Amino acid sequence: MPSLETLTAAVLFSGLTLYVLTGGADFGGGVWDILARGPRRQAQRDLIAHAIAPIWEANHVWLVLVIVLLFVGFPRAFAAISIALHIPLVLLMLGIVMRGAAFVFRTYDLRPGPAQRRWTVLFAGSSVVSPVMLGVLVGAVSSGAIRVDLATGDVPADYFSAWLGLYPFAVGGFALALFAFLAAVYLTLESDQRDLQDDFRARALAAQAALVLLALLSLLLADSRAPMIGYGLATAWWGLPLQAAAALAAAGAVAALWRRRYGWARVAAVAEAVLLLWGWGLAQYPFLVAPDLTISSAAAPRAVLAPLLAVLGLGALVLFPSLAFLYAVFKRRRRLAR
Amino acid sequence: MAARLLMGISLGFHIVFAVVGIGMPLLMVIAEGLWLRTRRPVYLELTRRWSKGTAILFAVGAVSGTVLSFELGLLWPYFMRFAGPLIGMPFSLEGFAFFLEAIFLGIYLYGWERVSPRLHWFAGWVIMLSSVLSGGFVVLANAWMNAPAGFTIVQGRVEDVQPFAAMFNAAALSQVQHMVVATFIALGFAVAAVHARMLLRQPHNEFHRRAYAIALAVGGLAALLGPLSGDFSAKDVAQRQPLKLAAMEAHWETQAGATLLLGGWPDEAAERTLGAIPVPYALSLLAHNDPFATVRGLKEWPPGDRPPVAVTHLAFDVMVGCGTALAIVALLGAWQWWRTRGPPLARWYLWAVVLCGPLGFLAVEAGWTVTEVGRQPWIIYGLMRTAQAVTPVPWLPLRLVLFVAMYGFLGVIVIALMRQQVFQSPSARAWQDD
Ligand code: HDD
Ligand code: HEM
Ligand code: HEM
């Protein structure tokens, strides 16, 4: 039986995973929105907007939940991160605000032409900034550059050095590619039209190529710049099997896309994303903000964690059926229509 | 200081959308319920039109709320390190309430053709309940800052944490009930004012008549409760934060049978209040239900411990002034409604409602200023000073400018879009002379 602290961290990490799989793909949609081209440009945009509109706000709540769990469960980590990574957090925040606002404004702005184009640029631009910043945050947290003075809890940081580097930005690029890949794969399932499906199939394959490259780059850089991650992945007993499984999932996604088995492609893409994320999480274990805060040293008292987990469990009983209902209403459409 | 200003502006911005997010679902549920019962198309049109406006405002509410959850860490890391686990319970529960709200809002807004009418209406109810809950949970967290509970401090360390005791702290009931009532006042009157304005232009527009009647009924009923609910809060503050009460009332000297001061300018250097209207014994009566009770004055506390008196007092008077005005207008409306057996459509009354439109929101902002500024210099009352909680990161003034620009931009766009969507929609003409 894992400790309460570890359990809370696992829940937090699951929340983050779900955010990547759902909210991440919504950001990816924004990327494909600006890259929309060719004869079916408007059709691509409409498909993206249609796919995102009913669900993005719900998907977005995963992020809110992650933040809340972080400050409830691991207040010291929350404080350290928000001081040392103040700037990327602010940029992420701006990106999130502008993405959501621009998307809704575009939908409801009745004026045609330039106004629409301006919203599109803003929507897409912020859909690029936010994933990169999210990746930068993850990269910085795992690189071991944030030092925390354990006696006072202060963070003697200079607000830049922890995140302004090659490795965090490689992870940022990786996050962007991952989100774009997930979005493209999901979008193949959103349309009945063969040519639109093919558009997103090509995009998914391209994003997968970028994703693999950036994953390898991050891994290489991790050796010297985030030694703990590199070390974990290279030496732990699960390191090799996990990387092999991720590679297999990636290959599976490519094969399924190639053969236009989009349902399978989605399964493989999700598996790939989950394996990549949990590989990072496991390599980081037991640290939360390397190298000074571990899961247990950053955690809140157990008297908080136990009721917290109980509430989360009860909440999940309400939440998951509701989410399933939401997706059933909006994502089952084609099967019903036939 | 920049941090406090930034927090205040962010919250003041978010609260507007939060009020809409809590209040509009109720109006929509009522309108849709009427449509299901009477099958009159005007109600369906009303529900749809309201839900469009709500979609825009809700999205801005959601993103500005997300900003806030980051902001707590970005501006007050030391506060969160201390208080995170203690106020975590309401925040976690709030997370689930947000989920339900966002999920069912998606279904409500985009699912008209996808789910049955009854299910659609049910989705509206879920939004309405979960938004009241989510607002309530945040206010619980804020109440904890006013009345910290649920832990003991042993040698400077927090021990014996009881999350549920922290959640149901001494200020919880008074703040939550007052906030819920205030929300419906503010939203009801604002919506009624919009439709009243349209009725002044097109007196026979059936669409606006129905909309006006629903909104006014909600806002008016709540406004009648407002002063009662506020009085409950005030008595509670008198018990729990006598210093805040003294600042709200600009009450300097400890006094039995204390005098209530209306308006005036508290001069903090001279420790007196200039130009106020005195009402003998009223303060003791209002604060303690006894005209001869003793009310402690500001001078009992050293100047360094006092909140900014002028801001707190004036904000309090603004809130109470608005509340009184709204309650009077609501009473007049109730009387007219009873006399004519229909919504009050006299032109003078419509004008009164139009003028009252902004007052509810003004009162909400003023009320929060009272609560928050009146708590100063404490971030957690009696425990942690605001200055101890603030982030060490420099350049906060720069961020302040950046965020004010962002809020300004969002605000302008929202207003422009609302005009397009709600006020000038051409199909409104179709309902004329129904
Ligand atoms: C439409 C809005 C509205 C109206 C008409 C009123 N209030 Fe209010 N008031 C609020 C909106 C509000 C608020 C914004 O919702 C506050 C801020 C914090 C809170 O819990 O509620 C608040 C706080 C607040 C507090 C401080 C509570 C605390 O610090 O814990 C007191 C004592 C009152 N109110 C008293 C009154 C009285 C005596 C009113 C008489 C008419 C009144 N309010 C009308
Ligand atoms: C939405 C309505 C609210 C408004 C308009 C509001 C307004 C303000 C204002 C004006 C300040 C600055 C006070 C000063 O420095 O003089 C402030 C500070 C603050 N508020 Fe609120 N507030 C609201 C609700 C909340 C809630 C629900 C919470 C927490 C759960 C909260 C947490 C804080 C914190 C942490 C500070 C900074 C510390 C301090 O100045 O004491 N506020 N708020
Ligand atoms: C008294 C003050 C507050 C009230 C009454 C309130 C209420 C609400 C309501 C009703 C919503 C959903 C409706 C909408 O989006 O329009 C909302 C959204 C949100 N609020 Fe607040 N809130 C308050 C203060 C805060 C504070 C202090 C925080 C941060 C710590 C916060 C965080 C959020 C977040 C993250 C969302 C977005 C949820 C989503 O994505 O759906 N709120 N708030």
Side-chain angles (χ1 to χ4, degrees), chain A residues 32 44 47-48 184 187-188 196-204:
Chain A
W32 297 125
Q44 290 171 5
L47 186 69
I48 294 166
L187 283 166
T188 57
L196 263 181
Q197 287 180 344
D198 280 351
D199 284 349
F200 285 108
R201 168 171 170 260
R203 284 166 171 72

Side-chain angles (χ1 to χ4, degrees), chain B residues 173-186:
Chain B
L173 179 63
S174 87
Q175 274 194 259
V176 171
Q177 58 84 16
H178 192 47
M179 180 69 220
V180 172
V181 172
T183 301
F184 291 121
I185 303 181

Side-chain angles (χ1 to χ4, degrees), chain A residues 57-58 60 62 71-72 78 82 86 93-94 97 104-105 108-110 153 159 303-304 308 319 322 325-326 330 333, chain B residues 55 58-59 66-67 70 73-74 80-81 88 92 99 106-107 110 114 161 392 394 399 403 406 413 417 420-421:
Chain A
E57 276 179 285
H60 173 79
W62 286 114
F71 74 61
V72 181
F78 183 69
S82 32
H86 193 101
M93 221 156 79
L94 280 175
V97 171
V104 178
F105 292 168
Y108 287 95
D109 198 333
L110 304 175
Y159 316 118
V304 172
L308 177 68
L319 172 62
S322 312
F325 180 53
L326 176 72
F330 291 104
R333 166 179 35 115
Chain B
F58 190 90
T66 312
V67 169
F70 282 98
L74 290 175
M80 290 312 286
R81 196 174 64 200
S92 315
F99 256 124
I107 292 172
Y110 298 93
R114 300 263 169 83
V161 177
R399 276 205 49 211
F403 274 71
M406 178 182 88
I413 303 288
L417 288 186
Q420 275 186 20
Q421 285 291 341

Side-chain angles (χ1 to χ4, degrees), chain B residues 196-264:
Chain B
R197 184 77 197 82
M198 298 308 287
L199 280 177
L200 284 166
R201 275 195 219 147
Q202 311 168 357
H204 299 292
N205 187 316
E206 187 65 14
F207 173 82
H208 289 300
R209 271 196 193 186
R210 305 279 161 178
Y212 166 77
I214 295 175
L216 186 66
V218 168
L221 286 178
L224 293 177
L225 290 176
L228 297 178
S229 139
D231 182 50
F232 182 86
S233 281
K235 291 191 164 57
D236 190 55
V237 172
Q239 292 290 326
R240 136 173 79 78
Q241 289 168 297
L243 171 58
K244 182 191 266 184
L245 184 84
M248 278 159 34
E249 309 287 3
H251 179 63
W252 296 97
E253 311 284 346
T254 299
Q255 199 183 12
T259 310
L260 179 72
L261 297 180
L262 295 178

Side-chain angles (χ1 to χ4, degrees), chain A residues 50 53-54 56-58 60-65 67-68 71-72 75-76 78-79 82-83 86-87 89-90 92-94 96-98 100-101 104-105 108-111 119 122 152-154 159-160 300-301 303-304 307-308 311-312 315-316 318-319 322-323 325-326 329-330 333, chain B residues 52 55-56 58-60 62-63 66-67 69-75 77-78 80-81 84-85 87-89 91-93 95-96 98-100 102-107 109-111 114-115 119 161 163-164 391-396 399 402-403 406 409-410 413-414 417 420-421:
Chain A
H50 202 77
W56 73 270
E57 276 179 285
H60 173 79
V61 183
W62 286 114
L63 179 65
V64 175
L65 199 69
I67 300 174
V68 169
F71 74 61
V72 181
R76 304 180 67 174
F78 183 69
S82 32
I83 295 174
H86 193 101
I87 299 170
L89 275 169
V90 169
L92 172 64
M93 221 156 79
L94 280 175
I96 288 176
V97 171
M98 286 305 161
V104 178
F105 292 168
Y108 287 95
D109 198 333
L110 304 175
R111 291 168 304 167
W119 292 133
L122 196 59
T152 59
D154 286 343
Y159 316 118
F160 287 106
V304 172
L308 177 68
V311 164
L312 289 174
V318 183
L319 172 62
S322 312
L323 270 179
F325 180 53
L326 176 72
V329 168
F330 291 104
R333 166 179 35 115
Chain B
K52 274 192 186 169
I56 302 174
F58 190 90
V60 179
V63 293
T66 312
V67 169
S69 35
F70 282 98
E71 210 78 287
L72 285 176
L74 290 175
L75 296 177
Y78 303 118
M80 290 312 286
R81 196 174 64 200
I87 55 175
M89 194 47 73
F91 271 119
S92 315
L93 288 166
F96 284 107
F98 283 154
F99 256 124
L100 287 184
I103 290 171
F104 284 91
L105 194 82
I107 292 172
L109 294 180
Y110 298 93
R114 300 263 169 83
V115 296
L119 199 60
V161 177
F164 289 102
T391 182
V393 176
W395 323 295
L396 287 178
R399 276 205 49 211
L402 189 68
F403 274 71
M406 178 182 88
F409 169 75
L410 290 180
I413 303 288
V414 165
L417 288 186
Q420 275 186 20
Q421 285 291 341

Side-chain angles (χ1 to χ4, degrees), chain A residues 50-268:
Chain A
H50 202 77
I52 296 181
I55 53 170
W56 73 270
E57 276 179 285
N59 294 344
H60 173 79
V61 183
W62 286 114
L63 179 65
V64 175
L65 199 69
V66 167
I67 300 174
V68 169
L69 283 179
L70 191 63
F71 74 61
V72 181
F74 305 97
R76 304 180 67 174
F78 183 69
I81 292 173
S82 32
I83 295 174
L85 301 177
H86 193 101
I87 299 170
L89 275 169
V90 169
L91 293 176
L92 172 64
M93 221 156 79
L94 280 175
I96 288 176
V97 171
M98 286 305 161
R99 194 279 303 247
F103 181 69
V104 178
F105 292 168
R106 185 175 69 171
T107 312
Y108 287 95
D109 198 333
L110 304 175
R111 291 168 304 167
Q116 290 282 324
R117 257 197 305 285
R118 248 175 285 139
W119 292 133
T120 298
V121 171
L122 196 59
F123 169 51
S126 45
S127 297
V128 173
V129 171
S130 315
V132 173
M133 283 305 140
L134 207 61
V136 166
L137 289 169
V138 165
V141 165
S142 60
S143 70
I146 303 176
R147 301 304 307 254
V148 182
D149 183 335
L150 287 179
T152 59
D154 286 343
V155 185
D158 57 10
Y159 316 118
F160 287 106
S161 64
W163 61 277
L164 211 57
L166 199 53
Y167 174 68
F169 275 88
V171 182
F174 166 78
L176 183 63
L178 178 63
F179 292 0
F181 170 62
L182 286 172
V185 172
Y186 296 169
L187 283 166
T188 57
L189 284 160
E190 288 285 333
S191 169
D192 296 331
Q193 291 166 357
R194 171 98 184 205
D195 43 2
L196 263 181
Q197 287 180 344
D198 280 351
D199 284 349
F200 285 108
R201 168 171 170 260
R203 284 166 171 72
L205 287 169
Q208 175 76 301
L211 178 61
V212 171
L213 282 178
L214 284 161
L216 289 177
L217 178 68
S218 312
L219 205 60
L220 276 178
L221 287 173
D223 251 353
S224 57
R225 296 174 204 240
M228 212 181 51
I229 302 287
Y231 183 78
L233 287 175
T235 57
W237 62 266
W238 46 263
L240 212 58
L242 193 123
Q243 291 175 62
L248 208 65
V254 170
L257 281 170
W258 194 253
R259 306 193 45 202
R260 297 201 169 78
R261 306 293 283 272
Y262 298 123
W264 285 109
R266 179 164 65 181
V267 174

